[in-house]
Amino acid sequence: MTITPPALSVFETLESEVRSYCRGWPAVFDRAQGCRLHDEDGHVYLDFFAGAGSLNYGHNNPVLKRALIDYIERDGITHGLDMATSAKRAFLESFQNVVLRPRDLPYKVMFPGPTGTNAVEAALKLARKVKGRESVVSFTNAFHGMSLGSLAVTGNAFKRAGAGIPLVHGTPMPFDNYFDGQVPDFLWFERLLEDQGSGLNKPAAVIVETVQGEGGVNVARPEWLRALAALCERQDMLLIVDDIQMGCGRTGGFFSFEEAGIVPDIVTLSKSISGYGLPMSLCLFKPELDIWEPGEHNGTFRGNNPAFVTAAAALDAYWADGQMEKQTLARGEQVENALLAIAAEETSSGMSFRGRGLVWGIEFSDKPRASAICARAFELGLLLETSGPESEVVKLLPALTVSPEELDEGLSILARCIRETA
């Protein structure tokens, strides 16, 4: 199909220049269901971005929509601060019974605010409060949010520059395979910790993504994550896993760290925890770390009760029987096989790919090619985005509920776009 960009006058004249996704997808979207979006001109798009991972169960999932409509129609609480409500209780009970207990995870649950960066800020603040230290170690190419504390542990130079002030108390270390396997894991990190002349202040915590989504879909090996957890324990540092994009089943298990067999001290969740794209985030931590004073970390919109409703419905519908993890891993194999076939046909030697579950990245040595592929995909009715510090990676992030046929359709379009941009 041929798509003619619409007149976007009100967006261009009134909305800030900071807008970004709409520049790559110049359409006015009107409705969506499952893995499809429809624009005002009648074009249909297959969505392989899923709201940056906030729509793991697809657009307007009928199970979640029904629960939400029923709740609204009975005049259920919408805004609740941190008051006790029936919707919050139902979510907490489902989260405990469906997620925490089956995995023997002891976490307390904190509602820090509506966004992922709210959860990261709470995690950083709590770690510093518990340990009485300021420094937090993060990793090369990390992304943890756009507020100041989160930016201080984010690697991307462009995003960091937007802060406008020095970003302090964060120290970067090499992520897994940063030196292409030429340097033993954590050699530099542990040497600095043990050397009294290194100048590294003793960190309160280490924050890590098991798969760096915005950083280029960089996948940490399970053994690297286990070694990191052991290092944190030896050196009296808390381990924070940022599972905001990779949690809620994106990599297979509900938490992305399950495969490594570790139990982080603190975990942040957002994106698809509400299941419906409604703003919601969680900060989870071991009970002994719960030293908050009442109201010490606050926020007006941390009690989004409609999000509690859809979150509980998502857990009960998709996580109570263990089938979602199996389905996601099977869909992931389907993607991997398709990418192997595409790589076999690729005429240049500059393509590589990696991923877990239903998050995959395709990297090109010809860095502008990734953006060209995503632009062509939009013209053919497929929504894709780039990631990586130079937008050199095509990122695949379809809904977990995507059908095998929809996956094949999108992967066929992707293959065509790669061929046409060679």
Side-chain angles (χ1 to χ4, degrees):
M1 70 179 168
T2 301
I3 296 170
T4 303
L8 300 174
S9 57
V10 70
F11 305 108
E12 293 168 344
T13 60
L14 189 60
E15 192 178 359
S16 166
E17 291 299 315
V18 79
R19 65 194 188 279
S20 60
Y21 293 116
C22 59
R23 298 180 188 273
W25 302 331
V28 178
F29 297 102
D30 181 55
R31 59 189 179 90
Q33 209 287 316
C35 293
R36 311 276 180 178
L37 286 91
H38 303 253
D39 71 16
E40 288 184 330
D41 296 326
H43 300 118
V44 183
Y45 304 82
L46 183 58
D47 186 2
F48 268 29
F49 193 55
S54 63
L55 295 165
N56 280 2
Y57 312 104
H59 295 268
N60 286 304
N61 181 287
V63 175
L64 312 189
K65 180 168 65 174
R66 185 72 264 159
L68 180 59
I69 290 171
D70 288 347
Y71 183 76
I72 292 171
E73 285 187 338
R74 73 168 184 82
D75 291 330
I77 298 292
T78 296
H79 179 273
L81 298 168
D82 69 354
M83 297 184 294
T85 66
S86 58
K88 183 196 282 189
R89 179 177 58 206
F91 166 72
L92 286 169
E93 289 173 349
S94 288
F95 193 71
Q96 183 175 50
N97 294 331
V98 175
V99 175
L100 297 181
R101 279 181 178 158
R103 294 163 180 78
D104 198 25
L105 294 173
Y107 296 131
K108 297 289 288 292
V109 179
M110 175 183 179
F111 300 100
T115 71
T117 200
N118 291 131
V120 170
E121 295 285 356
L124 298 176
K125 185 189 290 188
L126 180 61
R128 289 168 170 141
K129 179 179 173 66
V130 168
K131 291 300 183 183
R133 309 178 204 134
E134 295 177 351
S135 177
V136 173
V137 166
S138 57
F139 291 95
T140 50
N141 290 312
F143 178 78
H144 296 290
M146 298 297 281
S147 51
L148 292 180
S150 300
L151 277 176
V153 290
T154 286
N156 186 285
F158 173 74
K159 292 179 172 64
R160 289 174 63 89
I165 62 171
L167 297 170
V168 296
H169 309 309
T171 303
M173 290 290 165
F175 191 71
D176 190 15
N177 204 38
Y178 188 73
F179 294 110
D180 299 320
Q182 300 302 305
V183 178
D185 295 339
F186 307 113
L187 175 66
W188 172 245
F189 190 1
E190 194 147 28
R191 184 74 58 85
L192 290 177
L193 288 169
E194 294 176 350
D195 183 357
Q196 295 303 305
S198 71
L200 175 65
N201 293 331
K202 181 79 172 183
V206 174
I207 185 167
V208 67
E209 304 154 274
T210 67
V211 180
Q212 294 181 326
E214 294 303 307
V217 193
N218 305 311
V219 181
R221 294 166 295 142
E223 55 267 33
W224 187 85
L225 292 168
R226 288 191 288 269
L228 176 60
L231 173 62
C232 287
E233 187 171 0
R234 285 197 307 274
Q235 297 289 345
D236 186 35
M237 303 178 296
L238 297 179
L239 176 60
I240 305 169
V241 168
D242 181 339
D243 235 1
I244 285 165
Q245 187 170 80
M246 298 304 155
C248 301
R250 176 54 56 181
T251 64
F254 187 85
F255 295 106
S256 70
F257 56 80
E258 292 180 48
E259 181 188 35
I262 61 174
V263 180
D265 298 292
I266 303 175
V267 180
T268 60
L269 285 175
S270 186
K271 298 280 190 183
S272 276
I273 187 59
S274 82
Y276 203 74
L278 299 175
M280 177 179 174
S281 71
L282 305 178
C283 186
L284 313 176
F285 37 81
K286 293 179 178 178
E288 62 269 25
L289 304 180
D290 192 9
I291 62 171
W292 292 114
E293 296 290 336
E296 189 174 8
H297 189 87
N298 225 326
T300 302
F301 293 103
R302 68 198 186 283
N304 185 352
N305 281 252
F308 297 156
V309 170
T310 54
L315 295 178
D316 294 341
Y318 292 102
W319 292 97
D321 61 3
Q323 292 305 304
M324 178 56 76
E325 179 175 356
K326 296 177 183 177
Q327 176 177 299
T328 299
L329 294 175
R331 301 284 192 272
E333 288 183 12
Q334 183 181 347
V335 174
E336 184 175 15
N337 289 333
L339 294 181
L340 284 168
I342 292 171
E345 295 180 2
E346 172 67 6
T347 55
S348 71
S349 59
M351 171 186 160
S352 61
F353 65 89
R354 63 244 174 196
R356 281 179 59 196
L358 275 175
V359 53
W360 291 84
I362 310 166
E363 184 172 1
F364 297 91
S365 56
D366 178 14
K367 295 179 180 180
R369 190 174 170 194
S371 294
I373 288 168
C374 291
R376 180 60 177 144
F378 174 78
E379 293 174 350
L380 297 174
L382 176 66
L383 301 185
L384 293 173
E385 255 294 346
T386 60
S387 68
E390 298 179 73
S391 298
E392 73 277 19
V393 177
V394 174
K395 185 178 183 181
L396 307 184
L397 210 66
L400 306 187
T401 51
V402 65
S403 70
E405 295 76 20
E406 288 168 328
L407 263 186
D408 281 341
E409 178 186 346
L411 292 166
S412 295
I413 296 173
L414 172 65
R416 175 181 171 182
C417 295
I418 292 174
R419 286 193 302 270
E420 291 182 356
T421 58

